[in-house]
């Protein structure tokens, strides 16, 4: 089919399926029963990488959703994270506790919590029923210290696939040297995985986002209970009526629209989407466009890739948009393209599927593989390994995009299935049922293991417990702070997303 015929047959906008009846409306909310056995609402500590939402980030969006839902049902939630000097009072949830911190230069907006104040290790300061640690740094040791010092059950969350993301701190040129990767594999990746497996085994449960990640951590020696809990889509945002076409201000009104969304960081491989578009899509459909929605430390690099390939006139970079505007971008796109292999889940992929956007992605054994069933709710392709296989995979990816653009009936079928399956998998009630079960499991695990709080023992035991966790926390986070200077990123504008308490 030629480009003009294809454009005439594109599903015209917006493509929004009616939301099916909510099967969970009549069910009691999962967080109502969390007080059983205690007789009062829970006091919950959220150990987070962020005390506000500085940029689009799936983990912190989910933390915000859980924070709001737990408080809605009477539970007391305290957000504990690194001090953010750019936060204003309106950004912070009531009762937020900010730990001393240092900025991570590679990721503007990220600050590393540090054990640099005596009050951090004052046992009398902390009184919780459970700690929920959704963090990626060695601040996990603070959660373990609370567990050992105070006997507080600890539930941790793994949101980063280290094997795919560990080299992001390196400058672009250095990251392409094979010897550097081999060295990182031996001196960084393997020790890092062993360290985190040991950390997870010192808690009362681990939450992961896909079966692939459960297998990954089991193979690396994690023995604590592992709970697979996908991230939720928020119906109050994604089931709203769709307004005007957001692309109209920067794209032609005709032509196939490809959308790639997410934070612009090299480990997400969004430059691969640009290369596929330039080599395999645009030559067959010169009126097609690719929108790279988001910002990040590699935005300038992505723009350079588009310029070097001669396709900058068909690739748009509108920046980061408010989270509440995302449904319109999905609904007014023809195909969502997802080339990342590092996602532990991939919020943008889940959102696109929920909105019924026909999707093409690479199988990653984790986030994409857990959400897509090839031919049923999207197109899932093998990514290839090595230059020759990757080149062939890119050609297949581009051909799959063109096939979808040529077949409105197939796009419509995938759209219906994607929306239905995403609602079954990612409804907030489903996620919160599993979170509630994980909370109960963590408390039971702590009881079975007979935690004996060090705070009730001799002073020397308390001191040794503190030193055991303060040293690795401070040393490793300090090292990450120094490494971050190798590849500093650009400062971000004020956040455009709703904050925790809003």
């Amino acid at each position: 089919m030629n480009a003009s015929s294809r454009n005439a047959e594109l599903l015209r906008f917006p493509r929004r399926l009616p939301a099916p009846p909510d099967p969970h409306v009549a069910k009691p909310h999962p967080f109502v029963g969390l007080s059983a056995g205690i007789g009062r609402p829970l006091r919950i500590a959220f150990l987070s990488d962020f005390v506000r939402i500085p940029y689009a980030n799936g983990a912190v969006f989910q933390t915000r959703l859980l924070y709001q839902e737990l408080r809605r049902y009477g539970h007391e939630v305290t957000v504990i994270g690194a001090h953010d000097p750019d936060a204003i009072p309106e950004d912070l949830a009531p009762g937020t506790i900010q730990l001393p911190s240092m900025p991570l230069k590679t990721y503007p907006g990220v600050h590393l919590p540090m054990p640099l104040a005596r009050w951090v290790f004052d046992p009398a300061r902390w009184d919780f029923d459970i700690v929920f640690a959704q963090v990626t740094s060695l601040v996990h040791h603070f959660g373990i210290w609370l567990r050992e010092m105070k006997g507080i059950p600890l539930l941790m969350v793994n949101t980063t696939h280290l094997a795919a993301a560990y080299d992001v701190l390196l400058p672009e040129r250095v990251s392409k040297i094979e010897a550097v990767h081999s060295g990182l594999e031996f001196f960084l990746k393997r020790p890092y995985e062993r360290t985190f497996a040991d950390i997870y085994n010192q808690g009362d449960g681990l939450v992961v986002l896909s079966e692939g990640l459960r297998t990954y951590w089991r193979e690396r020696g994690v023995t604590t209970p592992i709970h697979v809990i996908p991230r939720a889509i928020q119906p109050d945002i994604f089931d709203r009526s769709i307004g005007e076409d957001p692309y109209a201000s920067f794209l032609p009104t005709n032509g196939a629209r490809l959308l790639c969304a997410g934070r612009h960081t090299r480990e997400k491989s969004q430059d691969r989407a640009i290369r596929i578009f330039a080599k395999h899509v645009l030559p067959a459909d010169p009126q097609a466009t690719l929108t790279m929605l988001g910002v990040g430390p590699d935005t300038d690099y992505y723009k350079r890739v588009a310029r070097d390939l001669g396709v900058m006139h068909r690739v748009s970079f509108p920046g980061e948009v408010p989270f509440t505007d995302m449904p319109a971008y999905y609904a007014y796109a023809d195909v969502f393209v997802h080339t990342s292999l590092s996602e532990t889940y991939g919020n943008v992929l889940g959102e696109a599927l929920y909105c019924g956007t026909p999707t093409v992605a690479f199988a990653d054994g984790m986030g994409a593989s857990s959400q897509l069933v090839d031919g049923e709710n999207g197109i899932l392709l093998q990514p290839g390994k090595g230059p020759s296989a990757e080149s062939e995979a890119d050609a297949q990816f581009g051909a799959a995009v063109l096939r979808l653009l040529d077949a409105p009936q197939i796009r419509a079928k995938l759209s219906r299935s994607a929306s239905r399956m995403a609602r079954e998998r990612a409804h907030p009630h489903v996620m919160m049922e599993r979170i509630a079960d994980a909370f109960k499991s963590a408390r039971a695990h702590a009881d079975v293991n007979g935690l004996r709080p060090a705070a009730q023992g001799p002073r020397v035991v308390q001191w040794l417990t503190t030193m055991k966790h303060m040293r690795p926390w401070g040393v490793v986070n300090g090292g990450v702070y120094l490494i971050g200077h190798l590849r500093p990123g650009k400062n971000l504008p004020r956040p455009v997303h709703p904050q925790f308490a809003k």
Side-chain angles (χ1 to χ4, degrees), residues 145-300:
W145 176 83
L146 286 172
R147 181 179 186 268
E148 294 181 359
M149 183 66 74
K150 299 280 292 186
I152 303 171
L154 172 63
L155 183 64
M156 292 181 264
V157 185
N158 171 244
T159 60
T160 301
H161 182 45
L162 303 174
Y166 70 95
D167 68 331
V168 72
L169 296 176
L170 297 175
E172 179 189 337
R173 291 181 180 178
V174 175
S175 70
K176 295 179 180 179
I177 302 174
E178 188 61 34
V180 172
H181 281 269
S182 298
L184 286 174
E185 172 80 18
F186 185 80
F187 292 107
L188 179 61
K189 175 178 168 286
R190 293 179 187 175
Y192 208 59
E193 289 174 334
R194 287 195 296 268
T195 295
F196 271 82
D198 178 64
I199 284 172
Y200 295 147
N201 281 333
Q202 294 180 68
D204 297 295
L206 175 65
V207 172
V208 297
L209 305 173
S210 67
E211 288 292 343
L213 269 179
R214 175 165 23 204
T215 300
Y216 178 87
W217 285 114
R218 284 288 185 233
E219 290 174 347
R220 281 151 184 81
V222 174
T223 58
T224 55
I226 299 181
H227 311 271
V228 179
I229 306 178
R231 288 180 177 155
I233 300 296
Q234 301 180 46
D236 60 328
I237 293 176
F238 284 86
D239 282 338
R240 291 177 181 174
S241 60
I242 299 299
E244 297 181 356
D245 180 1
Y247 297 92
S249 62
F250 61 89
L251 285 185
T253 55
N254 61 345
R257 294 175 177 178
L258 277 59
L259 172 64
C260 180
R263 181 160 166 78
H264 293 171
T265 58
R266 191 171 59 239
E267 77 268 22
K268 293 180 181 292
S269 303
Q270 292 128 319
D271 59 319
R272 191 173 183 180
I274 300 173
R275 299 177 198 279
I276 291 171
F277 175 74
K279 186 174 182 180
H280 301 291
V281 176
L282 197 59
D285 189 347
Q287 292 183 305
T289 59
L290 171 63
T291 297
M292 301 293 297
L293 197 61
V295 294
D298 283 307
T299 298
D300 289 343

Side-chain angles (χ1 to χ4, degrees), residues 61-88:
F61 284 153
Q62 290 296 290
T63 300
R64 177 181 180 270
L65 173 61
L66 282 175
Y67 169 87
Q68 292 181 324
E69 287 297 301
L70 284 163
R71 283 176 58 90
R72 178 183 170 193
Y73 288 92
H75 302 288
E76 181 183 330
V77 185
T78 301
V79 177
I80 304 174
H83 171 67
D84 186 340
D86 296 321
I88 58 177

Side-chain angles (χ1 to χ4, degrees), residues 2-18:
N2 60 41
S4 59
S5 300
R6 178 182 295 117
N7 294 334
E9 292 198 35
L10 291 173
L11 295 175
R12 268 313 138 203
F13 310 114
R15 179 199 57 261
R16 169 44 67 92
L17 304 174

Side-chain angles (χ1 to χ4, degrees), residues 335-339 358-362 372 378-381 397 400-401 404:
V335 177
F336 183 77
V337 293
H338 188 76
T339 52
T359 297
V360 181
F362 281 129
L372 277 172
I379 305 298
L380 191 65
L381 302 166
F397 194 107
V401 170
L404 286 183

